[in-house]
Amino acid sequence: MAGRVEGKVAFITGAARGQGRSHALRLAEEGADIIAVDLASPIPNIDYPSSTEEDLAETVRLVEALDRRIVATKTDVRDRDAMRLAIESGVGQLGRLDIVVANAGICVIDDWKGTSEEVWDQTIGTNLTGVWNTVSLTAQHLIDAGGGSIIMTSSAAGLKGLPFLSAYVAAKHGVVGLMRAYATELAEYNVRVNSVHPTGVDTPMGTLGGGNFGPLLEAHPKLGGMLANLLPVEITQPVDISNAVLFLASDESRYVTSLTMTVDAGNTQY
């Protein structure tokens, strides 16, 4: 069924590539206009390539090729003032806001001894405070529109522990708490709030293939099974998560709120 979010406007963080770009394209395919933000700059400490301004420009090109409007800005989700400006500018140009996808995130792999204060602050700042900035600054726009849908990207690591990702696990569990709190407070305004919990996704961040991960698993082999999926697939595709985001953004889920929606191939069953 085409046009499942026809006439709606979606704000998406981390939209330059990966899951964020996929969400932007999937929602645009179904009729939404897009407000997109991304840091699009080098990120310290991570073992995978950072997104770039060229990546963000490509997201713009791809959305416009679907004959949808898009307003994109280079913005750090940790910078509350910059986020406010990006949101106000996008809503001003596109006229409304109906859908919010708090997707931006980073992942740094190390054991508990190697996780530095800088990595902790950076991860919590992006993956948790960035989500709070996104939701707290957009909620009133959804209320003004008569209701809407907020989708927060958590992780399988938001529902269970995973090794060598302590800051990431803490942040993603925190996202679930934010989701439940906002779902409770915003329900009276017909704003639904849910979280999505992927397993590994085939993106630069989601493969978890770089840096210390291999050697850490070799040194602690008993922990490797925690990363296994129940279904016979090692990694999912971004569109698999985008399809869940589309469902939660659309009126098909009009009575779904405070849901931790797993798209994890059964990973959290272990």
Side-chain angles (χ1 to χ4, degrees):
M1 176 173 58
R4 293 158 70 187
V5 287
E6 188 73 37
K8 296 185 178 183
V9 175
F11 177 75
I12 304 171
T13 66
R17 64 175 190 193
Q19 289 188 56
R21 177 190 286 173
S22 179
H23 301 340
L25 295 180
R26 192 71 187 92
L27 293 172
E29 286 172 349
E30 293 289 342
D33 293 324
I34 306 297
I35 305 169
V37 300
D38 198 286
L39 180 62
S41 294
I43 301 173
N45 299 309
I46 64 172
D47 293 317
Y48 50 90
S50 300
S51 63
T52 65
E53 293 185 50
E54 290 74 19
D55 291 327
L56 186 57
E58 178 65 4
T59 296
V60 170
R61 187 191 71 79
L62 291 169
V63 169
E64 290 179 341
L66 295 168
D67 200 27
R68 303 313 308 171
R69 296 179 295 168
I70 179 170
V71 177
T73 56
K74 188 174 178 290
T75 305
D76 187 341
V77 294
R78 296 171 295 180
D79 186 334
R80 191 168 176 84
D81 290 337
M83 283 285 284
R84 182 181 288 106
L85 287 173
I87 293 161
E88 296 293 339
S89 176
V91 173
Q93 293 180 65
L94 299 182
R96 59 183 296 124
L97 187 61
D98 308 276
I99 301 159
V100 174
V101 186
N103 165 79
I106 63 168
C107 183
V108 180
I109 301 162
D110 215 330
D111 63 13
W112 64 272
K113 293 181 290 184
T115 299
S116 67
E117 183 178 358
E118 180 184 18
V119 165
W120 175 268
D121 289 344
Q122 177 186 16
T123 304
I124 298 299
T126 303
N127 294 9
L128 185 55
T129 305
V131 173
W132 177 71
N133 284 337
T134 301
V135 176
S136 63
L137 292 170
T138 56
Q140 187 62 52
H141 292 287
L142 299 186
I143 294 169
D144 293 344
S149 176
I150 297 171
I151 302 124
M152 304 182 189
T153 301
S154 182
S155 168
L159 298 175
K160 73 175 194 178
L162 287 177
F164 318 125
L165 297 166
S166 57
Y168 183 85
V169 169
K172 293 301 187 179
H173 272 70
V175 167
V176 175
L178 275 180
M179 179 274 288
R180 288 172 172 157
Y182 274 95
T184 300
E185 292 193 49
L186 297 181
E188 65 180 288
Y189 305 108
N190 199 35
V191 175
R192 301 179 295 104
V193 189
N194 299 284
S195 54
V196 174
H197 299 259
T199 184
V201 185
D202 190 9
T203 67
M205 186 186 92
T207 57
L208 295 179
N212 296 330
F213 210 73
L216 285 167
L217 282 177
E218 289 176 8
H220 306 277
K222 290 184 178 180
L223 300 179
M226 297 180 71
L227 301 170
N229 297 327
L230 190 62
L231 293 175
V233 57
E234 291 187 3
I235 197 161
T236 61
Q237 295 303 309
V239 71
D240 296 314
I241 319 307
S242 299
N243 287 334
V245 167
L246 173 62
F247 169 72
L248 292 173
S250 76
D251 291 339
E252 295 165 23
S253 61
R254 60 181 177 169
Y255 300 131
V256 178
T257 196
S258 198
L259 174 69
T260 54
M261 185 174 188
T262 57
V263 190
D264 67 352
N267 179 273
T268 53
Q269 296 304 304
Y270 282 100

